[in-house]
Amino acid sequence: MIANTEPGQSEDIQHRLDEMLSKLKEHGFRITPQRLAILKVLAVSEGHPSVEKIYEQVRRDFPTTSIATVYKTIHMLKEINEVLELGFPDGSNRYDGNNPFPHSHVICIKCQKIFDPDLESLQDMTAEVSASTGFEIMTHRLDFFGLCPECQREE
Ligand code: ZN
Ligand code: MN
């Protein structure tokens, strides 16, 4: 979904944030105000932010935050499967804390925008892979690369 101004969205974000918080508490992680600020950025995470982007945003409210705190918080969330890491060969990893479950992405090779496409056939695809290989599928990674509408217009 690309739209991010639908009614009810702020409740969704609050719900997602509450989910993250209760999972962290369950695992005995302490929530500092800085960590909370990082979680908030990730709960919204429409643009699949990088560590640097998260750092930039959190520093506006908490200027003393270190980038190490951002890395540590993400690591913490990864351990309990509450954030999805999109790794790239050049090390420019991006994060989806809004939807931590495996899903596909569409990535603009020019401006590096990343969206979650609606992909109805993903379940069928998973079943097909399982049927044709005998694998029990646990997760998947499916990325589409191309030019976003804005970048196409600039071409
Ligand atoms: Zn683009
Ligand atoms: Mn995503």
Side-chain angles (χ1 to χ4, degrees):
M1 264 208 314
I2 292 175
N4 51 38
T5 51
E6 295 152 49
Q9 212 224 356
S10 60
E11 291 103 86
D12 287 353
I13 291 165
Q14 189 56 50
H15 176 74
R16 179 67 197 118
L17 187 61
D18 291 343
E19 233 170 40
M20 280 176 164
L21 286 170
S22 63
K23 267 280 200 84
L24 285 167
K25 281 180 194 151
E26 229 172 80
H27 288 80
F29 290 111
R30 227 162 35 88
I31 313 294
T32 63
Q34 276 137 333
R35 280 183 178 173
L36 183 62
I38 295 164
L39 297 182
K40 275 184 189 159
V41 174
L42 281 165
V44 183
S45 91
E46 288 132 6
H48 303 82
S50 61
V51 165
E52 290 74 20
K53 264 274 155 57
I54 298 165
Y55 178 58
E56 239 170 65
Q57 281 197 45
V58 172
R59 290 258 296 195
R60 278 180 220 150
D61 294 323
F62 297 94
T64 58
T65 309
S66 72
I67 197 151
T69 305
V70 180
Y71 276 109
K72 269 185 237 158
T73 307
I74 287 175
H75 185 78
M76 209 164 76
L77 289 166
K78 262 171 63 181
E79 262 181 68
I80 59 169
N81 296 318
E82 286 298 307
V83 72
L84 189 69
E85 182 176 62
L86 310 178
F88 293 98
D90 65 354
S92 61
N93 292 356
R94 306 272 290 264
Y95 296 90
D96 192 337
N98 187 252
N99 177 4
F101 306 105
H103 57 275
S104 69
H105 290 96
V106 60
I107 300 161
C108 179
I109 55 165
K110 200 171 165 200
C111 69
Q112 268 78 51
K113 258 201 282 292
I114 302 180
F115 292 120
D116 293 350
D118 284 323
L119 195 63
E120 312 265 301
S121 53
L122 192 56
Q123 264 197 319
D124 295 342
M125 245 189 256
T126 307
E128 203 179 324
V129 170
S130 180
S132 66
T133 61
F135 270 57
E136 184 192 332
I137 304 301
M138 277 134 185
T139 186
H140 55 77
R141 180 172 174 178
L142 182 59
D143 294 334
F144 297 87
F145 295 89
L147 288 172
C148 73
E150 286 79 49
C151 289
Q152 284 176 55
R153 255 174 264 142
E154 282 166 27
E155 283 281 287

